[in-house]
Structure formats: structure tokens, C-alpha cells
Amino acid sequence: HSFCTLLAEAVPMSRLQRLLLGLRLLVACCLSVVVFHEPVAASRTPLALWGDAGQPQSLEHTLAAPLPRLASNGSTNFVAPVALPLLNVSMFGPVVHPTNGKDMFHHGLDFIGPVNTTVSAIADGTVHDVVPDGSPSFPFGGNVIAVRHPYTGPPAVSIHGVAMDEFFSYHMNLDHFPPGIKEGDAVVKGQTIGFVGSTGSASEPSMHFEVRAQGYCSYQFQHSRGRTAPEPGSACYTGFDPHVNPLYFLPPRFTPDRPTLARVRPSDDTNFTYALRACVNASRNALETIDTDLGRLVFSTREGFDDISTSASIDDAENVASWVSLRLLSPLLNETVTCLEMQFPRRPRFVGVYTIDGTGTLADT
């Protein structure tokens, strides 16, 4: 304030001219100060956003997707498991648990809809498992039905270095099953295999949907039994986690949104010197890859994760890798934009964030 006043008094002018110049200089001085702006509120307190002067230069960029969109390019081999549009608010990958507020790695998609909404087989296959509510094999899954689908392509798909010739679709929290459906039954694409419900740990009527490629046992399950190496011919002991983003297997609903990037103040400025926030409209797409000169993370293949041997380790987003720490923000109720914040122990030269379509934003930091 004193600098602006001295500058105005140094030039001879009338009182009115001095007043007008003083007001203009006051505004200019205030705007020149870099300030922290608070973003839209979320259920977790978000990190403060750097002012415009601290933002990195970013541009649209495309990266080869880790897996092809099997239901795109005119393919008629797949259908959605529920009649769209149903709201899917919890996407695959790191999320904040909707009830306890803890970090978790979400292995599927949650489709929210009325009880008894029809659930259909996404492709031809065979019923792999029918699990009633309360079963110890799926203590939180409620009524579960799994379908085993053969896959011959095209296109050819490799998952963890293994050529995919089958995948499994899991449908959880169902209200009930069609009468008489059982393990071993053949099903065809679009056939009714269940109905949306709220069994298991569901907090509202919904259907939790997973796709497991070239295997059906999670790596955590395999690791807990000391079986971390692949066994020839085993669809359980594969040596990797088979969960992949189901959007690869579903017909695209919308033109994908490109994620946004913004610089933020690290919440832990003792261990981290640089941070960025990536946001995407979760009703249209999902973040899949974080690519930097320090390392790369791919959620569907768990590339770059330091440890996924236990549920606790894969849920620990803050310690996902030595070169980055993820901080998750859950959306407000009825909001679809989800964000994660990346904190780095040293400033990367570049950071790119990409969706499952390979569309992304690259920032030169």
C-alpha cells in the first residue's frame, strides 16, 4: 500500500487525478501478488491451488492405451451389463471409500439404479459361479454371479505378458438371480443373469461390476496362500492380479473427456516439493496412466506399484511408489468429477495423465 501511495505522490497532478491513479495502482499491485485459491469443496479438504503464475504449461497429448477398447470400433461382441444410462459414480482404481472415507483400490465399477433393474451377460459364456448372500467366499459381495467368457479376438490382447484367451465378469450386490440359473449353464450376450439389489455391503441399490482377465483370483488371494508364481493351465494361480478396468469391455457411452492438470501446494511439504492435481469426469471416463520422467503408474496392470501383495498395500495410495504419493479426493454427492493429487519428492520434468482411451494432458513442469 505504501509503495502505491509513494508512486502516486511522486507525479504532480490534481487531487482527482491522484485519486484515480491511486485506485488503478492499488488494483494492479493487488493483482500482481501470487495468492493461493481454494478449489471447489470436496468431502476431503483439498490442497490449496497455486495462483496462475505457478501453473505449468500443459497441452493435449495422446499415449498408447495399455489395453484396447474391445467394445469400440463397431464391435458387436459386447453389451453393457445394465441398460444405460445408469449412474456409475465409483470408478476403477484409487478411490475414497464412500462410507468410511478411507483410501481403497476399487476393482470395478458401481452402477447405481433401482432395485430389480435387469443385469445382463456382457458376452457369450458359461456361468462360472453363483454365490448367495452371506457366503464366506464373498463376504461383502452379497448375491454374486460370475460368467466365464472365451476370447479369440481380434484384436489380440496381452495381459501381464500372457495372451488373453478368456476373461471373467463378476456381478455383485444383486437382489436375486433368475430361477434355476446355476454353475455350468451356457449364457448368451444380453441374457438376464440377475437383478440390481443392495445385498452385501452395498449402501444403496447398485451393481458392483468387475472384469478379471486371464484369471479369476486376485493377487492378494494368491499371495496369502504363498502362490505367487504362475501355474501352467491355472486360471487362479496366474502370478498377477487379473482385475482390469471394465470400461475396456463396455461400449463407450460418451466422447471421452480429457483430464485437467493444476499445480497445488503439497500437503506434506517436508517430504514433497511439488504437487499436481488431475481431475476427470468419472461419468465419461477414468484415469488410467500417470507418466513422468520419474516413473509410470498404470492402474489396470498395476505397473509401477511398489507392492500389491496385500489389500492394505494396494489400498495405500500415499505409498503407491517411492517417486510419487497419491492423495485422493472423493466427489460431492451427485458430483461426477473426481480428482487425485500427485505429490513428488522432487520436481519432475514432465507429468502426463491419461484415460483408458489414451487421451490425456501433458504438462511441462
Side-chain angles (χ1 to χ4, degrees), residues 8 12 25 31 37 49 56 65 83 113 144 155 216 266 288 307 319 341 345 357:
L25 288 171
L31 289 178
H37 301 283
L49 185 65
V144 179
Y216 58 84
E288 174 72 312
D307 183 21
N319 296 296
E341 290 172 348
D357 299 282

Side-chain angles (χ1 to χ4, degrees), residues 124-278:
D124 296 348
T126 304
V127 175
H128 173 67
D129 209 357
V130 179
V131 183
D133 188 14
S135 170
S137 58
F138 285 93
F140 306 108
N143 290 318
V144 179
I145 188 166
V147 179
R148 187 175 194 159
H149 308 273
Y151 182 78
T152 57
V157 176
S158 177
I159 180 76
H160 298 279
V162 179
M164 187 181 80
D165 59 18
E166 65 179 0
F167 65 93
F168 299 79
S169 59
Y170 280 75
H171 316 74
M172 305 184 189
N173 309 122
L174 301 178
D175 184 79
H176 63 283
F177 309 109
I181 196 167
K182 62 185 184 303
E183 181 181 342
D185 285 355
V187 296
V188 297
K189 177 187 66 178
Q191 179 178 331
T192 298
I193 57 174
F195 301 88
V196 170
S198 55
T199 57
S201 62
S203 58
E204 58 185 320
S206 59
M207 191 269 293
H208 175 78
F209 179 67
E210 295 181 3
V211 171
R212 307 182 185 187
Q214 203 59 28
Y216 58 84
C217 293
S218 70
Y219 187 71
Q220 293 80 22
F221 178 89
Q222 300 172 54
H223 192 274
S224 67
R225 284 156 176 75
R227 312 292 283 277
T228 57
E231 290 187 6
S234 173
C236 179
Y237 297 110
T238 59
F240 57 80
D241 194 320
H243 295 91
V244 296
N245 195 320
L247 289 180
Y248 285 114
F249 295 79
L250 301 183
R253 297 176 58 187
F254 304 101
T255 301
D257 281 352
R258 194 175 296 274
T260 61
L261 270 177
R263 188 181 176 191
V264 295
R265 180 195 302 172
S267 59
D268 179 1
D269 55 12
T270 301
N271 298 305
F272 302 100
T273 62
Y274 193 81
L276 291 172
R277 179 186 303 138

Side-chain angles (χ1 to χ4, degrees), residues 89-148:
V89 295
S90 191
M91 301 298 284
F92 183 92
V95 297
V96 177
H97 195 283
T99 56
N100 62 28
K102 296 181 179 180
D103 293 351
M104 61 174 287
F105 192 96
H106 196 226
H107 286 107
L109 305 176
D110 289 341
F111 290 94
I112 313 300
V115 171
N116 289 328
T117 298
T118 298
V119 174
S120 305
I122 67 168
D124 296 348
T126 304
V127 175
H128 173 67
D129 209 357
V130 179
V131 183
D133 188 14
S135 170
S137 58
F138 285 93
F140 306 108
N143 290 318
V144 179
I145 188 166
V147 179
R148 187 175 194 159

Side-chain angles (χ1 to χ4, degrees), residues 278-302:
C279 297
V280 70
N281 187 329
S283 69
R284 293 179 176 268
N285 216 325
L287 290 174
E288 174 72 312
T289 302
I290 300 171
D291 188 40
T292 79
D293 60 296
L294 305 179
R296 175 185 289 190
L297 293 178
V298 182
F299 296 136
S300 277
T301 62
R302 256 67 84 217

Side-chain angles (χ1 to χ4, degrees), residues 3 29 33 57 69 84 90 97 100 109 130 134 180 279 305 330:
F3 169 76
C29 289
V33 179
Q57 296 295 316
R69 288 295 294 268
L84 299 177
S90 191
H97 195 283
N100 62 28
L109 305 176
V130 179
C279 297
F305 283 54
S330 60

